[in-house]
């Protein structure tokens, strides 16, 4: 049977041994789940959005907002007579469903989602004429969007998340060099490394703010605490990176 090496930190390896955790079956189960998710994302490229009631049903672990973002992307592409949902429409979907973690991440980087949206809409491909009524309607994910979806699943897995949210779609979009969505984001300063740091800080801040917030705190107050926590985590990350750069071999 083929073997795959799994590298753990010294502390985690010691804890695993002390707890007597069977590493092979645990890793096998986790890898099986990851492979299923990536395979489901790959199959999305073949889906005809006009034929299926809920084409995203095969993509498990999507958050409600990520589900809505992809549905919104397909709707916008269909309205413009496209036969493919390109990355520009995936970005339009993320930007178009109201408040979500991806928008909060952009704002934390001083990138205004409205500015990105306005720029994106000026670059969208020209609307195509409606097809003849007798022709079958076709609307598929473009190969670039399919690759973005697969990368979003990989990013979620690498961050240790068992769900795929708009923040993971954002991470995958900014890293994509083949589609218009990533090009627009990067033109506004959303570089992959910076976005990843901002996502990590935002998620850490969100978890902390939720644990500290009173159960009945008003939504506005919670948002203010979250913004303050994001700044704090960002500053801590900057200090840590500065220290690492001062170490031998750092930078």
């Amino acid at each position: 049977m083929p073997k795959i090496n799994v590298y753990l930190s010294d502390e985690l390896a010691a804890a695993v041994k002390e707890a007597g955790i069977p590493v092979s079956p645990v890793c096998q189960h986790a890898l099986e789940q990851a492979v299923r998710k990536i395979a489901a994302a790959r199959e999305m490229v073949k889906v005809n959005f006009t034929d299926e009631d809920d084409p995203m049903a095969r993509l498990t672990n999507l958050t409600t907002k990520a589900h809505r973002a992809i549905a919104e992307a397909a709707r916008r592409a269909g309205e413009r007579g496209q036969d493919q949902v390109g990355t520009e429409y995936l970005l339009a979907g993320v930007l178009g469903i109201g408040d979500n973690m991806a928008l909060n991440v952009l704002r934390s980087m001083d990138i205004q989602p409205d500015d990105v949206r306005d720029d994106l809409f000026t670059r969208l491909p020209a609307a195509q004429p409606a097809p003849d009524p007798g022709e079958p309607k076709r609307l598929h994910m473009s190969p670039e969007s399919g690759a973005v979806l697969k990368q979003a699943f990989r990013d979620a897995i690498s961050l240790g998340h068992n769900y795929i949210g708009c923040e993971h779609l954002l991470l995958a979009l900014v890293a994509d060099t083949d589609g218009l969505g990533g090009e627009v984001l990067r033109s506004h300063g959303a570089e992959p490394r910076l976005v990843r740091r901002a996502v990590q800080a935002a998620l850490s801040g969100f978890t902390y703010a939720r644990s500290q917030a009173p159960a009945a705190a008003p939504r506005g107050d919670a948002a203010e605490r979250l913004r303050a926590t994001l700044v704090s985590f960002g500053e801590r990350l900057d200090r840590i990176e500065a220290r690492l750069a001062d170490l031998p071999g750092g930078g």
Side-chain angles (χ1 to χ4, degrees):
M1 181 178 294
K3 293 182 179 180
I4 296 177
N5 293 326
V6 178
Y7 296 96
L8 306 176
S9 65
D10 292 341
E11 295 83 358
L12 181 56
V16 168
K17 289 180 180 178
E18 182 178 353
I21 295 173
V23 174
S24 291
V26 170
C27 289
Q28 183 175 342
H29 176 73
L31 289 171
E32 286 173 350
Q33 295 297 315
V35 167
R36 287 197 194 99
K37 293 174 183 177
I38 300 298
R42 187 181 298 117
E43 287 298 307
M44 278 296 294
V45 179
K46 305 175 184 177
V47 167
N48 185 352
F49 282 84
T50 59
D51 284 348
E52 299 192 28
D53 292 334
D54 187 8
M56 274 77 71
R58 67 182 67 195
L59 281 178
T60 58
N61 298 99
L62 279 178
T63 65
T64 300
K65 290 182 179 179
H67 191 289
R68 287 172 51 204
I70 297 174
E72 175 71 3
R75 183 187 70 80
R76 288 184 178 273
E79 285 182 348
R80 296 180 66 85
Q82 304 295 318
D83 59 5
Q84 290 191 333
V85 182
T87 61
E88 63 272 22
Y89 292 105
L90 279 183
L91 176 56
V94 171
L95 296 171
I97 61 164
D99 194 30
N100 62 67
M101 184 63 76
L103 304 188
N104 291 337
V105 165
L106 290 174
R107 293 188 187 103
S108 76
M109 300 173 64
D110 293 325
I111 299 171
Q112 295 305 313
D114 287 346
D115 294 342
V116 178
R117 184 185 298 110
D118 291 344
D119 185 17
L120 173 65
F121 286 170
T122 65
R123 303 202 212 179
L124 286 179
Q128 299 299 309
D132 293 334
E135 292 184 6
K137 294 181 179 180
R138 300 184 185 279
L139 182 60
H140 300 275
M141 281 283 179
S142 70
E144 294 80 10
S145 289
V148 165
L149 285 180
K150 286 187 284 186
Q151 185 58 45
F153 276 70
R154 294 190 190 101
D155 285 327
I157 292 167
S158 71
L159 290 168
H161 301 155
N162 62 358
Y163 64 92
I164 295 87
C166 290
E167 62 273 24
H168 303 112
L169 294 177
L170 177 65
L171 280 170
L173 280 166
V174 297
D176 176 61
T177 58
D178 295 323
L180 179 57
E183 179 183 327
V184 171
L185 283 165
R186 289 189 298 276
S187 72
H188 286 263
E191 293 297 329
R193 177 173 170 272
L194 296 177
V195 172
R196 191 175 186 87
R197 283 188 61 203
V199 166
Q200 291 172 318
L203 292 172
S204 298
F206 179 72
T207 301
Y208 176 79
R210 255 200 335 188
S211 69
Q212 299 298 311
R219 183 179 179 86
D221 291 347
E224 288 300 325
R225 279 195 298 274
L226 177 54
R227 275 191 285 271
T229 307
L230 281 176
V231 172
S232 173
F233 271 90
E235 291 172 347
R236 287 171 59 191
L237 282 169
D238 286 336
R239 288 197 296 271
I240 291 169
E241 287 193 346
R243 290 195 205 103
L244 289 173
D246 290 336
L247 293 175

